[in-house]
Amino acid sequence: MTQRLRILLTGASSFTGYWFAKTLAEAGHQLVCTFTSNLDRYDGVRKLRVQQLRGLCEMVPNAPFGSDTFINLLQNHGPWSLLCHHGAEVTNYKSPDFNVHQALVNNTQNLRSVLSAFKQAGGRGVVLTGSVFEPDEGVGEEPLRAFSPYGLSKGLTWQVFRFYCGEAGLPLGKFVIPNPFGPYEEQRFTFYLMSSWKRGSVATVKTPDYVRDNIHVSLLAAVYKRFAGQVAQTEKPILKCNPSGYVEPQGAFAQRVAREVRKRTGWPCELHLQQQTEFTEPRVRHNFEPAAAMVETWDETAAWNEFTEYYLKLEANA
């Protein structure tokens, strides 16, 4: 039987954070999720995710990482098993003017005090979420530079956590995320594909030659649950996990989505793959540990069913 853990998780209102919280809670772990603001301030799909979390975890609003409220929670509401820091500064994350310094400050605020309070309350280990778009992560074109200032901020956050967790004698696990997709996602690539096909339009793929690593969010969450358990039991100072899904050009991935959705809906799911002439990002970047081999109970067919049904419900409610 899996050991029941008491986990403090940040970033649960995000796409992947919601799925991590859901999967950990459904596995029987006791989950406390902190939020940076009032719960009624969230809107759009983030509001839907927060609503889905009610009943799955204890929800603590207005508790940014490293704040007095956050540290008080660590000190007075333990004992704790894991601190899972999934939240990160993402404001204008696509912009070249993304504030790397401020993001690093927000991501690591009062980290020594946080780790001290956590350890004194019985904490066993820390899980930090990373990204394949950080410097020196994944596999791809050398050098493995950061994709963006946001990616740089994530890499710097990792270095700060590695130093201070080492100083505190706390095991640190790094969970490196590639490109997740699935229900409750923001309006990104697969959302665009599904929205186009629902209208009967042809979906255009502007960057079909980039080789990326797209992964069902339910599979990613299943691996995260497994990894969290490993960090809670390890005596090693550092653990890493680089789960990988469909490693292929974005054009091929779009064709994969089209095949799966077409046979479930009967939609034409037409695609136009543009000839790609600009490569402002590295051509190839992906993780390298096949995620499906890490878990026993995940069902790929069920994941595609869930993905399609989610967008069909959006269609019905539009």
Side-chain angles (χ1 to χ4, degrees), residues 80-121:
W80 302 102
S81 306
L82 285 177
L83 171 59
C84 293
H85 190 25
H86 180 65
E89 179 61 55
V90 296
T91 304
N92 296 323
Y93 75 97
K94 292 185 178 181
S95 171
D97 297 321
F98 178 84
N99 192 328
V100 174
H101 176 262
Q102 190 59 55
L104 179 62
V105 169
N106 293 349
N107 295 346
T108 63
Q109 183 179 200
N110 294 323
L111 183 56
R112 292 187 72 192
S113 297
V114 166
L115 296 177
S116 176
F118 173 66
K119 189 171 183 179
Q120 289 177 20

Side-chain angles (χ1 to χ4, degrees), residues 105-267:
V105 169
N106 293 349
N107 295 346
T108 63
Q109 183 179 200
N110 294 323
L111 183 56
R112 292 187 72 192
S113 297
V114 166
L115 296 177
S116 176
F118 173 66
K119 189 171 183 179
Q120 289 177 20
R124 304 180 208 165
V126 177
V127 179
L128 179 69
T129 300
S131 169
V132 75
F133 300 128
E134 291 179 33
D136 303 316
E137 276 299 349
V139 173
E141 292 181 333
E142 299 286 348
L144 295 173
R145 64 176 179 85
F147 268 45
S148 64
Y150 168 72
L152 177 59
S153 76
K154 294 286 287 183
L156 293 172
T157 298
W158 160 247
Q159 294 297 338
V160 172
F161 264 77
R162 186 169 70 170
F163 179 85
Y164 285 109
C165 283
E167 181 186 68
L170 283 166
L172 173 62
K174 186 179 186 183
F175 189 80
V176 182
I177 293 182
N179 295 353
F181 70 96
Y184 299 103
E185 184 180 6
E186 273 82 13
Q187 296 183 20
R188 294 188 291 194
F189 187 56
T190 55
F191 182 97
Y192 162 72
L193 294 177
M194 295 298 288
S195 298
S196 299
W197 296 334
K198 283 193 299 182
R199 297 193 305 268
S201 302
V202 177
T204 298
V205 181
K206 297 179 180 180
T207 55
D209 296 334
Y210 280 146
V211 176
R212 296 293 183 258
D213 190 346
N214 295 283
I215 186 169
H216 285 281
V217 70
S218 59
L219 174 57
L220 186 73
V223 178
Y224 186 89
K225 178 191 70 174
R226 173 181 178 269
F227 185 64
Q230 291 175 330
V231 174
Q233 298 176 26
T234 191
E235 295 182 0
K236 296 180 180 179
I238 299 289
L239 287 181
K240 284 186 67 178
C241 185
N242 293 74
S244 180
Y246 303 121
V247 176
E248 58 195 355
Q250 285 295 86
F253 174 67
Q255 292 170 332
R256 179 189 296 275
V257 178
R259 289 194 302 271
E260 296 293 344
V261 173
R262 187 181 300 120
K263 65 186 180 185
R264 288 168 170 81
T265 63
W267 298 345

Side-chain angles (χ1 to χ4, degrees), residues 11-82:
S13 70
S14 70
F15 171 46
T16 46
Y18 159 72
W19 277 92
F20 292 171
K22 176 178 183 291
T23 303
L24 288 167
E26 290 176 347
H29 299 304
Q30 187 178 11
L31 208 61
V32 179
C33 296
T34 60
F35 299 83
T36 58
S37 63
N38 289 325
L39 299 181
D40 58 5
R41 293 188 62 184
Y42 295 108
D43 56 13
V45 69
R46 193 175 289 266
K47 179 179 179 179
L48 292 177
R49 293 191 293 249
V50 170
Q51 291 173 341
Q52 293 293 321
L53 287 172
R54 297 184 188 277
L56 290 177
C57 61
E58 179 182 346
M59 305 171 76
V60 182
N62 300 310
F65 184 86
S67 65
D68 290 343
T69 302
F70 190 89
I71 293 173
N72 179 70
L73 180 67
L74 286 169
Q75 291 172 331
N76 299 309
H77 295 272
W80 302 102
S81 306
L82 285 177

